[in-house]
Amino acid sequence: MEKTIVAIATPVAYGGISVLRISGEDSLNIISKIYTSYKGKDIFKLKGYTGCYGYIHSDEKKIDDVILFYFKKPYSYTGEDVVEISCHGGILVTKKILRLILENGGNMAEPGEFTKRSFLNKKMSLIESESVIDIINANNEMALKLSISNMEGNLYKKISKIKENLLNIVGHIEAFIDFPEEDLEDLDINKIKNDLILNKNDLNYLIENYDLVKIIKQGIDTAIIGKPNVGKSSIMNLLAGFEKSIVTDMEGTTRDIIDEEINIGDLILNISDTAGIRKTSNIIEKIGIEKAKNKIKTVALNIFVIDNSKELSVEDFDIMDILDINRTLVVINKLDLPRKINSDYIYNKFLYVVEISVKNSIDIKKIIDKINLIFSTDKIENYSTIVSNERQRNCVIKSISAIENSIKDINIGQTLDGICVIIEESIESLLELTGENINQSIVDKIFSNFCVGK
């Protein structure tokens, strides 16, 4: 961290403004060589959190009017002296200013290096650092809410509390072992065991809905399936809000899988409109149908569309045989036509069923409400502390495993020294989670996933 780093912090594109961020000991020295205040202010005398209007120049040639913001260490994002330059949002002018800063002693920042320095300077925990990239990548309200919760330190505080509990247990046992002559409280091994169980349960709570959180963040892989002409493409278009799939009265219009990412409030659907499943001699259509059948097996949600105005056919029953009822939403479409389908059979076989007419756009809310029910977004709302990635989850699992082993050792009468060693393994896993004890290569890998400038 001896180098002063610089990067463009906003997208390199045409826009209202661009922001360049500089962090390090020489931030003001570097900027003083290329910046002049219109009011003659000495930037070395600026107070922290102060802005100053001026211009960037090269060999007395003006490059752009800018506003300089100074954040004095340690009260900055990185904990170092930070200067931010807000210039006009042109691609050329932004790159010219970046080049000037590099020519005058700045070093190009690596991906995530600003946040990495914030972590290394103890401005935020590793958990909070990871939440930064989660906030940037959040593409729905629920993912953003969970990321902000971690950014505010809720998960860190919970982990720290569990860590302190385990340290107190270890300290109590070690004091009993090392100072037998002292007038210490008797060691209640059953109480220690119960305390370990309570802490294990708290850790289990943190990963209880990890798979659901992962789906919320990354999107639900979804396939719209059914026979030809039941309204699959119309439902795709209704969910998308525009005509993504071709809709005609002719059967077999959709020959290949059509993909689209659709936001339905708290959730993202990575949705695929598939070829209608039926018996056909058309080679191209056969390939599309085979793709559709394979898709059914791999997605998190199947939207199975059937026609209200027709009786269930052999093709319908064949599709139903390969569906998982726990991840299938049946949509009985064409409710505007006389009913011929045996809906009692459908309701008895499947857990989630809605009846709609694609001609009534309001009916799309029925589908969205049912998807929210399937993926229990209301339940997630109550979780303010949840692990957000595989690294965090693995640390929690290792900590739980160590606690379980210590409980087993208590049950078989293992020595107190041995029990302490196992509990300490659990604590080490929690220290790895928060970043208080973590390998530098892991830190580098985490921050390499960030964008340059953050």
Side-chain angles (χ1 to χ4, degrees), residues 333-345:
N333 187 29
K334 303 188 181 181
L335 206 59
D336 51 302
L337 300 177
R339 181 178 297 254
K340 290 186 180 180
I341 192 175
N342 182 353
S343 58
D344 289 341
Y345 178 85

Side-chain angles (χ1 to χ4, degrees), residues 188-239:
D188 187 343
I189 198 68
N190 286 324
K191 182 180 184 307
I192 288 174
K193 178 180 172 181
N194 289 333
D195 288 345
L196 288 170
I197 291 171
L198 289 174
N199 285 282
K200 185 193 78 166
N201 291 340
D202 284 344
L203 289 170
N204 275 321
Y205 176 86
L206 297 176
I207 60 172
E208 183 179 353
N209 284 292
Y210 175 75
D211 289 337
L212 180 54
V213 171
K214 188 175 179 181
I215 285 174
I216 288 172
K217 289 173 64 177
Q218 297 180 356
I220 304 166
D221 290 338
T222 305
I224 303 180
I225 58 170
K227 294 186 305 185
N229 245 18
V230 293
K232 299 187 303 301
S233 296
S234 295
I235 289 173
M236 171 77 155
N237 294 339
L238 204 58
L239 285 166

Side-chain angles (χ1 to χ4, degrees), residues 25-74:
E25 197 69 35
D26 290 330
S27 294
L28 286 176
N29 287 327
I30 292 170
I31 289 300
S32 68
K33 299 174 185 177
I34 62 172
Y35 171 84
T36 299
S37 165
Y38 277 119
K39 291 189 176 182
K41 288 185 178 180
D42 183 352
I43 62 172
F44 291 99
K45 294 180 180 179
L46 288 175
K47 296 180 179 179
Y49 295 95
T50 301
C52 185
Y53 180 48
Y55 61 95
I56 298 292
H57 51 80
S58 173
D59 298 328
E60 299 184 357
K61 179 181 178 183
K62 180 178 173 181
I63 303 298
D64 192 22
D65 287 338
V66 303
I67 297 178
L68 178 151
F69 293 97
Y70 175 49
F71 305 90
K72 190 174 182 178
K73 69 177 183 181

Side-chain angles (χ1 to χ4, degrees), residues 166-404:
L166 296 175
L167 284 169
N168 287 337
I169 292 171
V170 170
H172 188 45
I173 294 173
E174 288 183 341
F176 185 82
I177 295 170
D178 295 340
F179 306 103
E181 70 283 356
E182 298 290 336
D183 187 20
L184 298 174
E185 181 183 345
D186 288 340
L187 192 69
D188 187 343
I189 198 68
N190 286 324
K191 182 180 184 307
I192 288 174
K193 178 180 172 181
N194 289 333
D195 288 345
L196 288 170
I197 291 171
L198 289 174
N199 285 282
K200 185 193 78 166
N201 291 340
D202 284 344
L203 289 170
N204 275 321
Y205 176 86
L206 297 176
I207 60 172
E208 183 179 353
N209 284 292
Y210 175 75
D211 289 337
L212 180 54
V213 171
K214 188 175 179 181
I215 285 174
I216 288 172
K217 289 173 64 177
Q218 297 180 356
I220 304 166
D221 290 338
T222 305
I224 303 180
I225 58 170
K227 294 186 305 185
N229 245 18
V230 293
K232 299 187 303 301
S233 296
S234 295
I235 289 173
M236 171 77 155
N237 294 339
L238 204 58
L239 285 166
F242 62 94
E243 191 168 321
K244 176 71 177 180
S245 299
I246 298 172
V247 177
T248 71
D249 292 332
M250 186 183 301
E251 292 189 351
T253 305
T254 304
R255 298 292 180 88
D256 203 350
I257 293 174
I258 299 172
D259 297 317
E260 182 68 23
E261 183 180 282
I262 297 171
N263 192 317
I264 58 168
D266 287 340
L267 297 171
I268 293 289
L269 300 183
N270 302 319
I271 199 163
S272 302
D273 181 16
T274 64
I277 299 175
R278 64 169 179 171
K279 292 181 180 179
T280 179
S281 58
N282 186 295
I283 295 175
I284 297 175
E285 191 177 354
K286 275 184 176 181
I287 295 171
I289 291 170
E290 195 59 37
K291 286 184 178 181
K293 289 180 177 179
N294 291 333
K295 199 78 174 175
I296 289 172
K297 301 171 186 176
T298 60
V299 295
L301 174 67
N302 283 296
I303 298 177
F304 175 38
V305 186
I306 49 181
D307 188 340
N308 173 69
S309 66
K310 294 181 180 178
E311 295 180 357
L312 292 172
S313 66
V314 173
E315 286 92 346
D316 288 318
F317 286 108
D318 287 344
I319 295 170
M320 285 187 273
D321 285 342
I322 59 175
L323 289 173
D324 180 345
I325 63 170
N326 293 304
R327 53 189 183 91
T328 297
L329 170 60
V330 179
V331 178
I332 300 176
N333 187 29
K334 303 188 181 181
L335 206 59
D336 51 302
L337 300 177
R339 181 178 297 254
K340 290 186 180 180
I341 192 175
N342 182 353
S343 58
D344 289 341
Y345 178 85
I346 298 298
Y347 278 99
N348 287 332
K349 182 173 179 61
F350 291 96
L351 300 174
Y352 308 105
V353 183
V354 294
E355 299 188 22
I356 71 161
S357 168
V358 290
K359 293 182 178 180
N360 185 1
S361 59
I362 298 176
D363 279 359
I364 198 65
K365 188 176 184 301
K366 295 180 182 179
I367 297 177
I368 293 171
D369 288 345
K370 195 67 73 170
I371 293 172
N372 281 324
L373 175 64
I374 294 171
F375 290 94
S376 306
T377 54
D378 290 341
K379 186 177 180 182
I380 283 293
E381 289 247 18
N382 299 321
Y383 283 71
S384 60
T385 48
I386 264 178
V387 299
S388 62
N389 58 48
E390 288 290 344
R391 185 196 73 82
Q392 294 175 4
R393 178 176 176 271
N394 287 337
C395 289
V396 172
I397 288 174
K398 285 192 295 183
S399 185
I400 290 171
S401 177
I403 292 176
E404 288 174 342

